Amino acid sequence: MSVNYFTTEQLEGFKDTSCNNTGHPSTKDLTLEEEIERFKYQNKILQQENDFLKRVMSINRKQISKQTKVNQQKKNS
């Protein structure tokens, strides 16, 4: 004897909607001006990310240089 515990409304929640909604906004509906603005914004974000990574790399280089000097001084003492 089989009992159906789920209503049709509950079963709707189990449908695969990934083919309909990828999570990415559609770019087909954008005008040329909107696409340009979007690319400008994306470019600005990437430039900020590059600047941040450059600063982090610079700090790491300084720290490594400082650590090697300390190690050399300990070795020579």
Side-chain angles (χ1 to χ4, degrees):
M1 182 163 119
S2 161
V3 178
N4 189 2
Y5 291 106
F6 300 105
T7 65
T8 26
E9 293 172 0
Q10 290 172 324
L11 289 176
E12 294 266 330
F14 293 111
K15 287 186 181 178
D16 183 17
T17 60
S18 61
C19 59
N20 299 332
N21 184 8
T22 62
H24 297 284
S26 175
T27 56
K28 293 183 237 176
D29 302 346
L30 297 178
T31 65
L32 219 64
E33 291 82 20
E34 290 172 331
E35 278 191 57
I36 290 171
E37 286 301 314
R38 184 179 192 161
F39 288 132
K40 283 182 181 179
Y41 179 75
Q42 191 175 18
N43 189 25
K44 185 178 179 180
I45 289 174
L46 290 172
Q47 285 177 344
Q48 289 174 348
E49 184 178 350
N50 279 345
D51 291 342
F52 172 76
L53 291 173
K54 285 178 185 178
R55 278 186 259 134
V56 168
M57 288 171 39
S58 173
I59 291 169
N60 284 342
R61 276 194 302 267
K62 288 178 184 177
Q63 196 66 24
I64 289 170
S65 175
K66 186 186 288 187
Q67 188 63 37
T68 54
K69 285 180 183 178
V70 168
N71 287 342
Q72 286 176 353
Q73 288 175 353
K74 286 181 181 179
K75 203 176 204 183
N76 292 335
S77 309

